[in-house]
Every structure is written in C-alpha cells, then in structure tokens.
Amino acid sequence: MSMSRFPRLRQISASSRSFTTSARSNTSLSALARPVAEKISAEWKGTSMTGGTTKNFIGGQFVESKADKWLEVHDPSTQTVLSSVPQTTSEEFDQAVDAASHAFKSWSKTSVLTRQRFVLELQHLLRKNADAIAGSIVLEQGKTLADAHGDLLRGLQVVETAIAATSTLLGDKLEVSKDMDTYVRKVPLGVCASIAPFNFPAMIPLWTIPMAAVTGNTLICKPSERDPGAAMMIAELCRQAGLPDGVLNIVHGQVPTVNAICDHPAIRAISFVGGDRAGKHIFNRGTQNGKRVQSNMGAKNHAILMPDANKNLALNSIVGAAFGAAGQRCMATSVAILVGEAQNWLPELVERAKKLKVSGGFEPGADLGPVISPHSKERITGLIASAEQDGGKIALDGRGLVVPEYPDGNFIGPTIIEAGTSMRCYQEEIFGPALVVLKAENLDDAIEIINNNRYGNGAAIFTQSGATGRKFEVDVNVGQIGINIPIPVPLPMFAWSGNKGSVLGDIGFYGKSGINFYTQNKTTTSLWRAEDAVGNRATTAMPTHH
C-alpha cells in the first residue's frame, strides 16, 4: 500500500455519478458476477457494486459524503466501475473522531460481559453473511471465491478469539504488605485507528475491530480505497450485533485521510498493514505525535526445499503459497531455495505451476484471479522483465497470458524466475504471481541467504529430518517459521510476530499482543487496615509493615 500506488482522485458530480457508472457496470460484468453485484447493492446500505457510491459510516449511520473528489472502484477482471469512494472531507473526518470520542465515554465503562456479547453476536452474523462478504471481495479485489472465503475466515478466527476477553483481560493482584494490595488492570486507550490494505479487505479490518471493541476502545477504520465493500458490510453487521453508535466509524480516502489519522490529537493508537513507504510514513508521523503505532509492511518470504523433503508435499505447497491470491499476500512464498539435489526439481515445479487455472474469481475451478489494478500489473511485469536484464532466466513466463472470457482483466500467469540475490526481482517485493528460485549447496548457505535479506515476516523449510528442522528453527532470523508448512501465519490465540524490515513497532497484531496494543496498565496500591474496621478498639502502638 505504498503511497505511490494510490489511484488518482477525480472530480465527479452527483448527477453523473450513478448514471454513467451503473450503465457501464450493468453491461460489463460477467454473467456470474452480475447477480452477485446486484444482490449486494440491493441488500447492503453502505456499499454499491453497480455503480453507486460508498458511504461514510459515522456515529452509527451510513452517510453520503459531501466530497468533491471521488475514486472509482473497478472489478479487476473487467475494469467495470463498481462504486465511487469519497475522499472523506476534513469536516466528515472530525465528525467521525468526535463520534468515537463521545462513544468512548460510555463504551469504556461498559462491562466486559456486554462487550463479549457483542463479539459473540458478530461472529454469528459474519458466518451467516459469509457468502455476501466473499462475493464483494471477488468483485472488488479479484480473488477466487474460495480464497475470498478464506480471507473472511482468518478474520473470523480473530473475532472468535476476542470472545475470550473475560480471561485475557484478567489483571494481577498481590498483597504486598499486611492489608496492602497492589493490583494491575488493563484499561482501554481511547479512540484508535486502523488503516487496511487492499489485499485482505475482510481479514485486516477484523484484526482490529473486535480487538479494539472488546477491550473498550472506539475505532476509526480506513479501508483500502480500492476495495472498501467488505469493511462497509462488516460495519453494518457490527450495528446489527448491537455495537453502540460511534464505537466504530469508517472513513475513506488517500494521503489526506492517512495524515489526518496520524495528526488528530484524540487518536491514541494506529494499526497499519501495507507497503513499506506508507508504513514508514505512518509510523514516523504517528509516533512523533505521541501515538502508539503497529506497522506491518513489506516481505520477502523464503522457503527452503531440502533433498530429503516429501517432494509432492513440498512442490504443491510452494505452488499454492506462491501463486494463491495472485501472489498478493504479505506472507506469500515469493522465494524458493532449492538445496543440493532438490535443484533437479525445478522442471516439475514449473509443470505444476503451468496447470493452474487463471480466470475470473467466480469461474469454477479458478486457482488465481487478476491482480488488483493495471498499474500493479505494469509494476509486476516490469520487475519480471528486470530479471532478464540482470542476467536471470525466466523458467515460466506468465506475462503474455490471455484469458479470452476477460480480455480487459489484470491477469498475469504464474511466473518462475531463476535469479540471484543481487537482482532487482529478488531485492524488491514483487507482490504478484512470480516466484524467484535460488540455488544453494547446503542448509547453512540457504539460511545465510534468508538472514541477509532485510525482511523478516516468515520463512519455511521442507524436510523429513527433525534435526534439520530444529537447526533451521534456531538459526533462521525471521519472526514466523514453518516446518513443512508454507505460510506459517499463527492462529489468533498466538500473535503476529514478523521482524526485521517487515515491522515497525514492538507490539504485534491479535492474540495477547493485540490485547496489549489496545490497553494500558493502571496500577493501584491500596491500604484497608483490618484494625480500622468499625467496632474495633483503638491502639497507640507504632504502625509497622509485616
């Protein structure tokens, strides 16, 4: 989500907005996509998939923005305009923060049991409406339908874990002296903010909404302007689940909205997931303004294939982890290191990648869909081309892929590049369906490659040797490790733990870290002397501690 990749703002009048875009979308969406888009537009208040507008959500109400600048949301498979998203005005942003500040006064004092009941009801409503939310993700983001359901499910798991707040919010208490107690309570921060990327339009908002709400905070959420529909639908479900007005507010836009979040004095904490440039900007600007910030940024995740690995498991795992979601995952396997005799597996890796079906997300059997935008496609193909310029070899080239049913889609086929660590295609995050393949003579050399990379989100190894797996676990310097697991993202009873250049901030997402991010400790020491109880006799002895 680097700032250089934001779509351009455009001026649009209210009178032309619905007519021109709805006319285009009714004729351009595929036969599979059109009924889904029409159903979402008819049944959900905050979003449109047929050329209308995306609303702000302020104080519990979906509000039409008065913005004079709007951004178009396109279906990546057809370029159909699905919706127009406002650059939320400064007045509207202030209204959202005011609503959150007002709601915090009462929500922070609501019992943890009441907040837990909201999360319980939200998880029920998310499951009930999973098909609709997944449909919006396919339309706006381009994922396959199965992958869109996975996007929602991983967020839903955070919701379900947040239900345990009655245990995870327990404090500490100790009688430090006779009749003197010291106890620590976890109390909410206040108004918090969440800035979400385009690649997980449901999961990332659900990393923050339940954690912020169950701990007693209120939240300003800015979904990606490329695919805000899922977040708007989640907001509607939060309202149905009984979340009071103002606890959750949703605003939209690009740099002006991001800067407003970083600068507003009422906002106490910011959670961000996205690219390096935006992540560093938000962390630096937010922390300079005294805010707590967690920033998860770029990645270059490696997988080592040892000669003793289960070959079928290893190759299938790499293909799925490299090309699923068109490679647009911060935990995608983007580098495979073939060790020793495993270097002979490259032709079979290429053959398996060739068999993947690339098509629109609603198409039966589709393995991966388009990338998010024409600009992303251009950037990805440019990085692939740089490999040839730098002396690499393209073993499988997906740049010329044509999907006849979707001639205007942002499609790139699975691509495999034989490269070296000095090449641009290795040094930069491609964020597309391109796998860089490196070769190493032994495990030590492979681990050294990973440790020398500036990123540290995750790494994996495929081996049938427990000793090899143990050495890898101990010696590799990344935050999340997979042994015979290609995408080692921890479930939310644990916490996200990327490191090195992938992260700024020292408190992770969800799990125990999530509780700590959204709370601060309040420590009280009290003295209630038993001898002062009403009815006791007075004493003249010198008081002492025992």
Side-chain angles (χ1 to χ4, degrees):
M1 189 181 153
S2 68
M3 293 184 183
S4 62
R5 299 182 210 167
F6 283 131
R8 292 182 179 177
L9 290 165
R10 67 185 180 92
Q11 301 218 356
I12 181 169
S13 66
S15 60
S16 64
R17 185 165 56 229
S18 60
F19 176 78
T20 58
T21 56
S22 62
R24 179 180 176 185
S25 52
N26 283 337
T27 58
S28 298
L29 286 175
S30 72
L32 292 172
R34 190 177 303 116
V36 178
E38 291 172 348
K39 184 177 176 64
I40 290 172
S41 296
E43 296 181 356
W44 296 85
K45 298 176 182 178
T47 187
S48 172
M49 301 289 161
T50 53
T53 61
T54 298
K55 309 297 190 291
N56 291 319
F57 184 64
I58 299 174
Q61 303 298 318
F62 291 102
V63 182
E64 187 75 51
S65 176
K66 296 180 180 179
D68 59 0
K69 295 180 178 179
W70 296 75
L71 305 100
E72 291 181 340
V73 177
H74 295 89
D75 167 22
S77 293
T78 64
Q79 309 310 321
T80 302
V81 177
L82 301 172
S83 180
S84 293
V85 180
Q87 171 58 61
T88 295
T89 68
S90 57
E91 293 81 6
E92 292 163 350
F93 181 83
D94 287 342
Q95 290 169 6
V97 177
D98 288 346
S101 298
H102 179 75
F104 178 73
K105 296 175 183 178
S106 57
W107 182 246
S108 61
K109 293 179 172 60
T110 302
S111 75
V112 67
L113 293 175
T114 297
R115 301 197 300 261
Q116 182 191 50
R117 282 196 294 271
F118 153 69
V119 182
L120 280 164
E121 184 60 23
L122 178 61
Q123 66 88 23
H124 164 69
L125 291 172
L126 287 169
R127 289 189 179 279
K128 182 179 178 181
N129 293 276
D131 289 342
I133 296 172
S136 78
I137 295 171
V138 176
L139 285 163
E140 292 185 337
Q141 205 275 345
K143 292 186 180 185
T144 65
L145 187 58
D147 196 36
H149 274 283
D151 184 331
L152 176 61
L153 177 62
R154 291 309 297 262
L156 180 60
Q157 290 169 342
V158 178
V159 178
E160 292 172 337
T161 303
I163 294 169
T166 48
S167 297
T168 54
L169 284 173
L170 287 175
D172 299 309
K173 184 175 182 179
L174 179 66
E175 186 177 8
V176 296
S177 186
K178 185 175 184 299
D179 295 337
M180 182 181 290
D181 300 320
T182 296
Y183 52 99
V184 181
R185 291 179 292 150
K186 293 183 179 296
V187 299
L189 296 176
V191 180
C192 301
S194 169
I195 302 172
F198 75 82
N199 57 321
F200 283 101
M203 184 183 79
I204 301 302
L206 290 173
W207 276 13
T208 58
I209 293 171
M211 299 302 294
V214 81
T215 49
N217 297 279
T218 57
L219 188 68
I220 307 293
C221 180
K222 193 203 86 67
S224 171
E225 67 283 354
R226 298 183 186 278
D227 49 10
M232 302 309 297
M233 297 164 81
I234 291 168
E236 189 165 345
L237 296 181
C238 286
R239 187 181 180 190
Q240 293 177 23
L243 193 66
D245 295 349
V247 175
L248 172 64
N249 303 271
I250 297 184
V251 295
H252 303 284
Q254 302 174 299
V255 176
T257 307
V258 170
N259 287 343
I261 288 172
C262 293
D263 294 344
H264 200 291
I267 294 176
R268 297 289 309 281
I270 304 170
S271 177
F272 168 80
V273 177
D276 284 357
R277 185 181 175 191
K280 292 175 182 177
H281 170 81
I282 291 165
F283 182 83
N284 291 333
R285 189 158 179 161
T287 54
Q288 287 170 7
N289 286 320
K291 305 183 192 307
R292 179 182 290 177
V293 182
Q294 55 180 192
S295 180
N296 186 55
M297 304 179 294
K300 203 75 175 180
N301 305 306
H302 299 65
I304 297 174
L305 277 67
M306 298 299 294
D308 70 334
N310 180 319
K311 182 179 179 182
N312 185 60
L313 170 66
L315 293 179
N316 283 341
S317 296
I318 296 301
V319 168
F323 304 120
Q328 298 173 119
R329 294 173 177 154
C330 58
M331 284 296 291
T333 297
S334 51
V335 181
I337 304 177
L338 307 183
V339 176
E341 294 179 4
Q343 295 172 18
N344 298 325
W345 299 356
L346 179 58
E348 190 169 344
L349 180 65
V350 169
E351 288 304 313
R352 296 192 187 204
K354 282 182 180 179
K355 295 177 182 178
L356 296 178
K357 179 180 178 180
V358 184
S359 191
F362 290 111
E363 296 292 337
D367 294 303
L368 61 150
V371 298
I372 188 67
S373 69
H375 177 77
S376 290
K377 179 178 179 179
E378 181 181 359
R379 182 186 56 78
I380 294 164
T381 56
L383 282 167
I384 296 170
S386 75
E388 294 177 307
Q389 299 163 7
D390 292 342
K393 178 182 177 182
I394 299 180
L396 177 62
D397 193 344
R399 288 174 293 177
L401 177 74
V402 176
V403 180
E405 299 85 358
Y406 299 94
D408 298 321
N410 309 319
F411 294 101
I412 303 173
T415 298
I416 297 177
I417 305 167
E418 295 181 68
T421 57
S422 64
M423 297 181 187
R424 184 180 165 216
C425 65
Y426 174 77
Q427 291 294 326
E428 297 184 23
E429 183 180 28
I430 298 176
F431 218 64
L435 175 68
V436 172
V437 175
L438 306 177
K439 296 179 180 180
E441 290 303 314
N442 52 58
L443 177 62
D444 287 331
D445 290 346
I447 292 175
E448 184 176 4
I449 289 171
I450 298 173
N451 290 347
N452 287 338
N453 191 274
R454 71 180 186 276
Y455 291 119
N457 254 357
I461 190 169
F462 288 86
T463 178
Q464 296 191 73
S465 165
T468 299
R470 183 67 173 177
K471 177 179 174 59
F472 174 75
E473 177 186 2
V474 171
D475 290 352
V476 74
N477 183 18
V478 300
Q480 296 164 125
I481 297 169
I483 299 176
N484 297 320
I485 298 290
I487 305 179
V489 178
L491 289 171
M493 65 284 293
F494 295 95
W496 182 275
S497 55
N499 67 19
K500 297 195 302 192
S502 295
V503 172
L504 287 171
D506 58 356
I507 307 179
F509 298 85
Y510 58 76
K512 292 180 181 179
S513 293
I515 294 291
N516 290 336
F517 182 79
Y518 286 107
T519 60
Q520 57 190 349
N521 288 345
K522 181 177 284 188
T523 304
T524 303
T525 301
S526 64
L527 174 62
W528 297 106
R529 295 183 298 186
E531 58 264 33
D532 289 341
V534 175
N536 284 1
R537 293 187 297 272
T539 180
T540 59
M542 174 70 72
T544 59
H545 293 169
H546 301 287

